[in-house]
Amino acid sequence: MSNKDFRFLEIPRTPPRAVPVTIRVLGYGEISGDFAPEAAAGQAERCIDCGNPYCEWECPVHNYIPNWLKLVQDGRLFEAATLMHETNPLPEICGRVCPQDRLCEGACTLEQGDFGAVTIGSIERWVTDEAFRQGWRPDLSSVRETGRRVAVVGAGPAGLSCADRLRRAGIAVDVFDRQREIGGLLTFGIPPFKLDKSVVRTRREVLEGMGVTFRLGIDIGRDIAFETLLEDYDAVFIGTGAYRFVDGELPGRELDGVHDALPFLIANVDRLLDDAPVPAALNLAGKHVVVLGGGDTGMDCNRTAIRLGAASVTCVYRRDEANMPGSKREVGYSREEGVRFLFHRQPLAVLGSEGKVRAVRIVSTELVEGAHGRAQLRHVEGSETELRADVVIQAFGFRPSPPAWCAEHGIALDSSGRILAGQHGRLPFQTDHPQVFAGGDNMRGADLVVRAVHDGREAAASIARMLAEATVQAECAA
Ligand SMILES: Cc1cc2nc3c(=O)[nH]c(=O)nc-3n(C[C@H](O)[C@H](O)[C@H](O)COP(=O)(O)OP(=O)(O)OC[C@H]3O[C@@H](n4cnc5c(N)ncnc54)[C@H](O)[C@@H]3O)c2cc1C
Ligand code: SF4
């Protein structure tokens, strides 16, 4: 190792400074600040190029992390941006929303040695933002058009990633979405304080510059038959997400003041996109809000409720903090912004008076050893209490919501509604209908942006391979 390999001893892990809490809770701006160029290079220098880049393996798209960190150290911004895009079609977005503590940064050798991981996510975000700002764009000058056409259903991260890769393979792409903007949950689920909507708009410009066509406000199945896509295109990619709300079936959930997480978040994003005032249903000024669930969606509801003026926000989760499914960073931000957490509590019912919510009945839980030594949750006898609430937000997660036309076209699903792909000798991400490919939340169940990006990328590779083979066969037959 050279002296340079020990820079982590001199330079502490320093992510960009977050906007102070007192300011950030007043609005919806992204809370993470920007690196100065020399700060990004300094943080990149902390990488010891350990030779076993576990960070790359834990990154679901297997980014070439040490290689682009080296380019950042050397000030080669555009080359770093180009290398990032080789593995990740949406690096500026993953850099913002990935739970890095569970992925790349959690696996960094420096983190294992208690020195603090390299700030991989923040650097990925900074490189892409800065390269775009300075005019860098993907270079498609050597791409040869194949004359093939693919329809992508869903402009979420899976669909966008697939579209990017198809264009790089010289395939024309039309992306259909029922929403008025691209992004899927990037636009209509994840709140702007985590991902500013201008970031998605910039990505739209970049993709359009690459030749991707967006056909928005079109619901496939309602406005255009799926059959028409099969007739008009050489292949179809389905990236329709997972939107079936997991219903905790709590008694009292029909009371006025009970919200499901996603409609609550979407309503707020929708009115922010239109620059509209807060509607009565979202006005939480002076109200006591209880959020049920400990995932990323729950954290987004917590922090949105704070910004909507709630007098208090309490997040109830049935296990302990270590077992929360959400990113530790988001739990930390929630706490900083004033959210109170109640761990080891399970909701039993929503209680009301005159049709409106007044409380949530909760019970304490404990872990006990169950059959075959597996830990199980048990209610603690006599521990039921009432938690005051004017508003309750249910954030228990999502299940796949496959469009009806899947079954009608022989696209097989598993018992929970996930699209099956890559089975029976098919190509990766190819469904039981050979012309149709799928990926993202509709195939995995509710998951992460970066995994949807991975699936879109790999599905595009399978589509390109299938179309290239078909071309060769046609040429041989001619
Ligand atoms: C509130 C919330 C917060 C989250 N926070 C994070 C986070 O911080 N980090 C992270 O990594 N992940 C997060 N996730 C998960 C992440 O957003 C998803 O895993 C990811 O968006 C899935 O991508 P996708 O492309 O499969 O689907 P989606 O993003 O859901 O996109 C699917 C698209 O398909 C469109 N569509 C569906 N059916 C049709 C049809 N018939 N016709 C036309 N269009 C159709 C939809 O309108 C939508 O635009 C969060 C999820 C939620 C709900
Ligand atoms: S894509 Fe996500 S997991 Fe991979 S390097 Fe970037 S922030 Fe880390």
Side-chain angles (χ1 to χ4, degrees), residues 96-99 153-160 176-179 181-186 188-191 194 218-222 239-243 262 265 296-298 300-301 327 329-330 398 403 405 439-442 445-453:
R96 284 171 163 86
V97 302
C98 274
V153 186
L160 298 180
F176 296 85
D177 201 294
R178 60 183 171 208
Q179 296 283 6
E181 249 313 331
I182 74 158
L185 289 172
L186 302 178
F188 294 100
I190 299 178
K194 272 164 69 179
I218 296 177
D219 185 304
I220 299 301
R222 188 193 62 199
T240 45
Y243 288 90
L262 202 51
L265 293 170
D296 278 330
T297 307
D300 291 346
C301 293
S327 146
R329 178 186 59 200
E330 301 304 321
F398 305 95
W405 38 259
D441 280 6
N442 62 10
D447 206 307
L448 291 176
V449 168
V450 66
R451 294 214 173 91
V453 167

Side-chain angles (χ1 to χ4, degrees), residues 10-258:
E10 296 153 33
I11 307 173
R13 172 184 159 93
T14 318
R17 198 175 303 160
V19 176
V21 176
T22 46
I23 297 173
R24 76 164 96 123
V25 295
L26 299 176
Y28 291 88
E30 271 189 13
I31 74 159
S32 179
D34 277 330
F35 274 131
E38 50 302 343
Q43 289 297 302
E45 262 188 66
R46 297 185 69 246
C47 175
I48 57 172
D49 197 7
C50 56
N52 284 317
Y54 295 113
C55 55
E56 281 191 17
W57 286 107
E58 287 301 321
C59 165
V61 290
H62 303 313
N63 272 338
Y64 303 130
I65 298 166
N67 305 63
W68 46 248
L69 287 174
K70 179 79 178 69
L71 292 169
V72 175
Q73 286 172 42
D74 296 345
R76 293 155 67 184
L77 180 73
F78 283 12
E79 287 164 79
T82 302
L83 186 59
M84 282 178 180
H85 281 79
E86 274 190 28
T87 47
N88 187 352
L90 305 176
E92 76 288 13
I93 289 170
C94 291
R96 284 171 163 86
V97 302
C98 274
Q100 284 99 9
D101 49 271
R102 285 197 270 136
L103 300 173
C104 54
E105 295 183 14
C108 173
T109 302
L110 291 185
E111 181 70 12
Q112 305 305 315
D114 272 348
F115 294 102
V118 176
T119 53
I120 298 167
S122 308
I123 294 173
E124 189 176 23
R125 166 197 158 160
W126 176 80
V127 166
T128 330
D129 286 355
E130 188 60 20
F132 282 157
R133 204 182 61 73
Q134 294 187 25
W136 176 90
R137 291 293 181 270
D139 178 8
L140 270 63
S141 57
S142 58
V143 167
R144 284 190 24 234
E145 296 297 337
T146 61
R148 299 292 197 165
R149 301 175 71 222
V150 170
V152 169
V153 186
L160 298 180
S161 168
C162 186
D164 172 290
R165 291 297 132 148
L166 290 170
R167 283 305 301 130
R168 288 170 190 264
I171 296 168
V173 192
D174 288 341
V175 182
F176 296 85
D177 201 294
R178 60 183 171 208
Q179 296 283 6
R180 59 183 162 138
E181 249 313 331
I182 74 158
L185 289 172
L186 302 178
T187 297
F188 294 100
I190 299 178
F193 45 80
K194 272 164 69 179
L195 175 62
D196 196 278
K197 304 312 162 195
S198 63
V199 176
V200 184
R201 278 198 295 276
T202 302
R203 181 50 69 176
R204 178 176 174 176
E205 284 164 28
V206 171
L207 287 166
E208 285 175 336
M210 294 168 73
V212 174
T213 304
F214 290 107
R215 299 191 54 191
L216 303 177
I218 296 177
D219 185 304
I220 299 301
R222 188 193 62 199
D223 304 317
I224 295 181
F226 186 65
E227 193 63 34
T228 309
L229 299 187
L230 294 175
E231 286 163 8
D232 291 355
Y233 294 87
D234 295 298
V236 180
F237 174 76
I238 312 175
T240 45
Y243 288 90
R244 192 155 46 100
F245 167 69
V246 175
D247 186 355
E249 299 190 5
L250 288 179
R253 64 192 183 284
E254 71 292 345
L255 287 164
D256 188 13
V258 179

Side-chain angles (χ1 to χ4, degrees), residues 2 5 90 134 143 170 181 262 268-269 321 326 337 358 412-413 418 456 476:
S2 68
D5 294 331
L90 305 176
Q134 294 187 25
V143 167
E181 249 313 331
L262 202 51
N268 195 45
V269 169
E321 184 165 0
E337 291 171 12
R358 68 167 181 81
L413 310 171
R418 290 181 300 188
C476 291

